[in-house]
């Protein structure tokens, strides 16, 4: 899943139609649609399990509740990379019995299909699908979500200049908190690929402030990991030292395993920079974990830092295609998008 980075979860969070925060509510008292909506955001496998236990009864109903359930299950299936379930649920959503209830959910449905194509490295279809999603937006916020997803996909498809252009068209005035931070992270990611490390640093710093102001401490810690790579590339070693100290031992609970692997690599590379040569340990660690760096969205900074040592040969192979086994149906969004 090349270059997905932090933002994938942010975008999938925004993708759910009419999100209702029920974290503080007893989930057992909620309707099926609200239970699955909550579980799909936080525990996708549990959402799928709950759906399968109740799937038969939804075949008997043709109402908004059923459509909401299917939309949330689609998101859970995408999060879990359960392609068979995705294709099954799309078939149910497209059934004539739900014609009267589908329109308000079309943006969500098409958006998630586009994300799934991108996560499966089917970039051409992802781009077409996200362009289609733009035609089904119901608000300025949904338009922003669609543009960000399109920008991410272009960056993943090695077209960062197009990604940058799209990001510049987003009206940041409608954003605040986590949404604003998510866009800033993507701007930082794109700047990294373009080699504009100072711009990336400014974007990551601003994103961290937005996350902290909103009380999203986990995301704030995760942005610091991105910032550290940008600091090394821009040769701002004091910034690296100061930012690295913000990740105390307890902060490891906020980071994913892939991020912790990348963080260890940054520490090794920083030591190599101080020694003015890449160590054997750093070289071996790079080679052994390059596939992890790609999946976690850190390929650009890794390759750029290796270039400083003239050590690009360490990762001359591209393992990024080895983790894609099953292709998603090319026409999954065909019912609503001509040519997608």
């Amino acid at each position: 899943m090349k270059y997905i980075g932090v933002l994938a979860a942010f975008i999938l969070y925004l993708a759910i139609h009419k999100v209702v925060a029920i974290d503080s509510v007893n989930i057992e008292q909620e309707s099926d649609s609200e239970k699955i909506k909550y579980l799909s955001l936080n525990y996708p496998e549990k959402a799928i399990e709950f759906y399968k236990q109740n799937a038969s009864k939804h075949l008997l109903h043709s109402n908004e509740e059923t459509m909401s359930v299917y939309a949330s299950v689609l998101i859970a299936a995408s999060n879990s990379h359960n392609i068979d379930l995705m294709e099954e649920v799309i078939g149910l959503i497209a059934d004539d019995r739900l014609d009267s209830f589908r329109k308000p959910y079309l943006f969500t449905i098409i958006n998630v299909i586009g994300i799934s194509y991108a996560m499966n490295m089917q970039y051409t279809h992802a781009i077409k699908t996200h362009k289609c999603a733009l035609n089904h937006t119901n608000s300025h916020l949904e338009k922003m979500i669609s543009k960000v997803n399109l920008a991410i996909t272009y960056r993943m498809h090695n077209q960062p200049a197009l990604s940058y252009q799209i990001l510049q068209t987003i009206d940041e005035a409608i954003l605040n908190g986590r949404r604003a931070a998510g866009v800033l992270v993507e701007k930082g990611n794109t700047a990294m690929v373009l080699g504009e490390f100072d711009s990336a640093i400014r974007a990551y710093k601003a994103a961290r402030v937005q996350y902290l102001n909103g009380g999203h401490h986990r995301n704030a810690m995760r942005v610091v990991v991105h910032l550290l790579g940008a600091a090394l590339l821009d040769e701002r070693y004091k910034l690296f030292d100061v930012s690295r100290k913000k990740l105390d031992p307890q902060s490891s609970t906020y980071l994913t395993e892939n991020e912790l692997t990348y963080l260890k690599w940054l520490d090794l590379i920083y030591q190599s920079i101080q020694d003015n040569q890449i160590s054997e340990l750093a070289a071996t660690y790079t080679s052994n974990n390059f596939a992890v760096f790609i999946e976690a969205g850190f390929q650009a900074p890794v390759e750029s830092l290796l270039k400083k040592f003239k050590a690009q040969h360490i990762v001359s192979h591209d393992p990024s295609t080895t983790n894609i086994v099953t292709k998603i149906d090319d026409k999954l969004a065909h019912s609503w998008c001509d040519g997608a």
Side-chain angles (χ1 to χ4, degrees), residues 57-73:
K57 75 177 182 182
H58 294 298
L59 292 173
L60 304 175
H61 301 293
S62 301
N63 50 33
E64 185 176 357
E65 170 94 355
T66 300
M67 180 59 72
S68 177
V69 166
Y70 289 156
S72 293
V73 172

Side-chain angles (χ1 to χ4, degrees), residues 51-277:
Y51 165 70
K52 287 182 176 180
Q53 292 171 354
N54 297 276
S56 58
K57 75 177 182 182
H58 294 298
L59 292 173
L60 304 175
H61 301 293
S62 301
N63 50 33
E64 185 176 357
E65 170 94 355
T66 300
M67 180 59 72
S68 177
V69 166
Y70 289 156
S72 293
V73 172
L74 179 63
I75 290 170
S78 178
N79 266 322
S80 302
H81 203 65
N82 188 330
I83 293 173
D84 288 341
L85 182 58
M86 280 183 58
E87 294 178 353
E88 176 188 330
V89 172
I90 288 295
L92 293 169
I93 288 171
D95 193 277
D96 290 345
R97 71 189 174 94
L98 294 174
D99 281 349
S100 302
F101 309 99
R102 190 183 304 114
K103 186 175 179 179
Y105 291 86
L106 274 181
F107 170 73
T108 296
I109 295 161
I110 298 167
N111 185 49
V112 175
I113 293 171
I115 291 169
S116 301
Y117 281 140
M119 292 175 70
N120 212 46
M121 298 185 187
Q122 293 172 240
Y123 300 126
T124 300
H125 292 291
I127 289 167
K128 288 180 180 178
T129 305
H130 284 310
K131 286 181 176 179
C132 169
L134 269 170
N135 296 325
H136 290 274
T137 56
N138 301 295
S139 67
H140 291 303
L141 177 59
E142 288 183 349
K143 190 176 291 293
M144 180 277 292
I145 294 169
S146 194
K147 285 183 176 181
V148 172
N149 282 330
L150 187 56
I152 291 172
T153 307
Y154 273 123
R155 175 170 57 79
M156 292 164 64
H157 199 31
N158 297 319
Q159 298 181 68
L162 276 175
S163 175
Y164 179 81
Q165 290 175 16
I166 293 169
L167 290 171
Q168 300 315 302
T169 69
I170 292 175
D171 181 7
E172 295 186 15
I174 68 171
L175 304 175
N176 55 56
R178 183 154 54 173
R179 290 167 179 161
V183 173
L184 286 165
V185 170
E186 178 53 24
K187 285 186 175 181
N189 292 343
T190 302
M192 289 286 279
V193 178
L194 291 171
E196 299 175 0
F197 307 127
D198 184 63
S199 296
I201 288 170
R202 290 198 302 271
Y204 291 143
K205 281 184 171 181
R208 180 174 178 274
V209 170
Q210 289 278 8
Y211 280 135
L212 288 175
N213 288 344
H216 305 293
H217 296 285
R218 178 179 181 180
N219 286 341
M221 288 291 184
R222 297 179 72 185
V223 170
V224 171
V225 177
H226 287 253
L227 176 60
L228 289 171
L232 288 184
L233 283 164
D234 209 34
E235 300 181 359
R236 294 170 63 174
Y237 303 127
K238 183 176 180 180
L239 174 63
F240 180 91
D241 288 331
V242 171
S243 300
R244 183 66 181 86
K245 288 175 183 176
K246 292 175 181 176
L247 295 175
D248 56 42
Q250 289 184 338
S251 70
S252 63
T253 60
Y254 289 98
L255 305 179
T256 67
E257 288 187 18
N258 288 351
E259 287 164 346
L260 289 170
T261 301
Y262 176 63
L263 182 60
K264 181 177 178 180
W265 181 82
L266 287 174
D267 289 337
L268 291 171
I269 288 297
Y270 185 38
Q271 184 60 54
S272 293
I273 289 172
Q274 292 176 316
D275 296 338
N276 206 30
Q277 64 177 357

Side-chain angles (χ1 to χ4, degrees), residues 265 268 278-290 293 314:
W265 181 82
L268 291 171
I278 190 165
S279 68
E280 184 177 342
L281 177 59
T284 302
Y285 193 83
T286 305
S287 179
N288 290 344
N289 291 286
F290 190 53
F293 300 148
I314 294 173

